[in-house]
Amino acid sequence: FGLGVGLYFIMLRSITILTFIAGLINIPNMMHFSSEEYSNGQEGVATALKGSAACTAQEFVPCPSCTIGNFADTPHRIATSTSLYGEEDLVFVVKNNCDGAKLPVALVNYATLLFVIFGMILINRHLKEQAVKFDEDEQTAQDYSIIVKNPPPNATDPDEWKAFFDSKFGPGVHVTCCTIARDNNLLVRALVRRRELLQRLKWRLPPEIPLDMASLCRIAKDLEGKRSFFGWAKSLVIPDVPSLFNQLAEINMEIKGLSLLDFPATRIFVTFETETAQRTILKHLSVGSKLVKKSNVLKLDNTDHLFQ
C-alpha cells in the first residue's frame, strides 16, 4: 500500500497521545468550571459537558439599548415586558454571572496551546524519520532515481550525463541507467498513427500476408485496379486497403522527416546503483523552484556541479 498507510497510523497514534496529554493539562480548568465557585456546580448541564465552560449561573437584567434583532439566533436570551409608567416596553437579556476570565485559567490555556504547537513539531519530525525507515524497507526504482526537470535543450546524450554524475560527485556515485525524454510529441503521434494503420490493414488482410511495404504495395495496386466506382466512393467514407496503404505511405514519409529533427531534451531520468548515491545527488543539487526559474547558480554549494 505504499508509505501512506503506515504514516497514517503513526499520525493517528501520535495525535491520540497529543490530545490525551492536552486533556490532562486542562484538568485544573475542568475542575474550576465544574466547581461551585464558577457556576454553582453546573446544575442542569449534561454529564458529558461537565467541566466545560458552560455557564448556568444566569439572570435577566435590563438592557435599554438591546433589540430583538440583536438576538435573532438566540431568542431565548431576550424578553420584553410592559412598563406601568410609560408606553415603551422594557427589554431584558440573559447575563452570565460566571467569571471564566481568570489568570489561572488563561495560564492553563496558554500551556495547552504551547504544548500542542511543540507536539506538532515533534510529530512532524517523527513522521519524517519514519518515512525514511519505511522507504528503506520498501525498495522501488524511485529510491535510486532522480529527475532533472530543467536540462539544457541540447543535452541529449546519455553518455554525457553519465560521465557528469560519475565524475562530479565522488567515487560512490555510479549511474546505472539514463533516459532522455524529448519534446517529440509530433513524432510520437505519427508513430501511433502508423501503428493504428498497420493494425487496420492486418484486420482486412488474410493472416498469412506480411505487412512489409513491398507486399502491401503490391496488394493495394491489385485491389485498386479491381475496384469499381461504387467501391471508390465507399472508400471515401470507409477506407479500404488501397486507401489505408496510401495513408500509411504518407505517414511513413512524415515520420522520416520528423526523425531528422533534433528534438530538445525536456526531462532526464537517472537511476543510480545505490540509494546513498541518489541522496548525495539530491543533497547537492536540490534548490528552490524560484532559484531554478532564475537560474541562480550562486546558491549551489559547488559550481563544479553545473552540467554545462
Side-chain angles (χ1 to χ4, degrees):
F1 296 99
L3 306 180
V5 176
L7 294 178
Y8 166 78
F9 285 106
I10 290 179
M11 182 69 175
L12 191 63
R13 181 184 62 186
S14 302
I15 292 295
T16 301
I17 296 174
L18 179 70
T19 53
F20 177 74
I21 297 177
L24 296 179
I25 296 175
N26 275 270
I27 288 179
N29 281 359
M30 298 178 189
M31 296 176 62
H32 169 69
F33 291 141
S34 61
S35 65
E36 295 290 334
E37 177 186 358
Y38 175 73
S39 183
N40 299 324
Q42 293 185 323
E43 183 179 356
V45 176
T47 304
L49 296 178
K50 290 282 187 179
S52 66
C55 180
T56 58
Q58 302 172 340
E59 64 175 337
F60 277 96
V61 296
C63 183
S65 61
C66 297
T67 63
I68 295 179
N70 299 139
F71 293 82
D73 297 332
T74 55
H76 62 280
R77 297 184 66 89
I78 187 170
T80 59
S81 177
T82 304
S83 174
L84 297 176
Y85 304 100
E87 297 180 356
E88 296 183 359
D89 292 339
L90 299 177
V91 180
F92 295 87
V93 298
V94 175
K95 176 186 176 183
N96 293 336
N97 293 323
C98 303
D99 185 11
K102 291 188 174 182
L103 180 60
V105 175
L107 292 177
V108 171
N109 290 338
Y110 276 118
T112 305
L113 177 63
L114 293 176
F115 171 75
V116 171
I117 294 175
F118 182 70
M120 292 303 297
I121 295 174
L122 292 181
I123 289 175
N124 182 57
R125 182 179 301 177
H126 180 60
L127 287 175
K128 290 181 179 180
E129 294 175 354
Q130 293 300 314
V132 173
K133 292 182 180 179
F134 289 156
D135 187 49
E136 291 176 348
D137 292 337
E138 184 177 347
Q139 298 295 320
T140 62
Q142 182 180 355
D143 300 325
Y144 297 84
S145 304
I146 66 169
I147 303 176
V148 181
K149 296 182 178 181
N150 60 334
N154 60 345
T156 57
D157 184 5
D159 293 332
E160 185 180 5
W161 284 99
K162 184 179 186 305
F164 167 71
F165 286 110
D166 288 348
S167 61
K168 299 291 185 178
F169 296 93
V173 176
H174 175 70
V175 175
T176 302
C177 178
C178 180
T179 302
I180 311 294
R182 295 190 173 197
D183 186 14
N184 57 352
N185 185 46
L186 295 177
L187 177 59
V188 172
R189 287 196 298 179
L191 291 171
V192 172
R193 176 62 178 161
R194 180 180 184 275
R195 183 181 179 86
E196 292 175 350
L197 291 173
L198 286 173
Q199 190 65 37
R200 294 172 67 179
L201 286 168
K202 181 179 179 181
W203 291 339
R204 285 169 171 78
L205 294 174
E208 66 275 6
I209 300 297
L211 296 180
D212 59 277
M213 291 300 293
S215 300
L216 292 176
C217 181
R218 177 177 51 80
I219 294 173
K221 286 184 177 181
D222 292 341
L223 293 176
E224 188 175 8
K226 300 176 182 178
R227 186 169 58 182
S228 63
F229 177 78
F230 176 76
W232 173 81
K234 181 182 177 182
S235 67
L236 298 178
V237 180
I238 304 176
D240 55 5
V241 172
S243 299
L244 292 175
F245 174 77
N246 292 333
Q247 295 180 34
L248 180 63
E250 292 177 1
I251 202 70
N252 281 342
M253 293 298 296
E254 181 180 351
I255 291 173
K256 289 181 180 179
L258 291 173
S259 62
L260 298 177
L261 299 179
D262 188 15
F263 296 102
T266 57
R267 294 287 189 275
I268 312 297
F269 301 88
V270 184
T271 301
F272 298 94
E273 188 172 347
T274 63
E275 286 187 73
T276 304
Q278 183 240 31
R279 292 176 183 173
T280 300
I281 299 298
L282 291 177
K283 178 181 178 181
H284 289 296
L285 297 186
S286 295
V287 295
S289 58
K290 292 183 178 179
L291 299 177
V292 172
K293 292 180 181 179
K294 295 180 180 180
S295 297
N296 190 348
V297 299
L298 299 178
K299 293 297 181 178
L300 289 176
D301 297 335
N302 189 346
T303 55
D304 288 339
H305 295 161
L306 294 174
F307 179 71
Q308 289 182 350

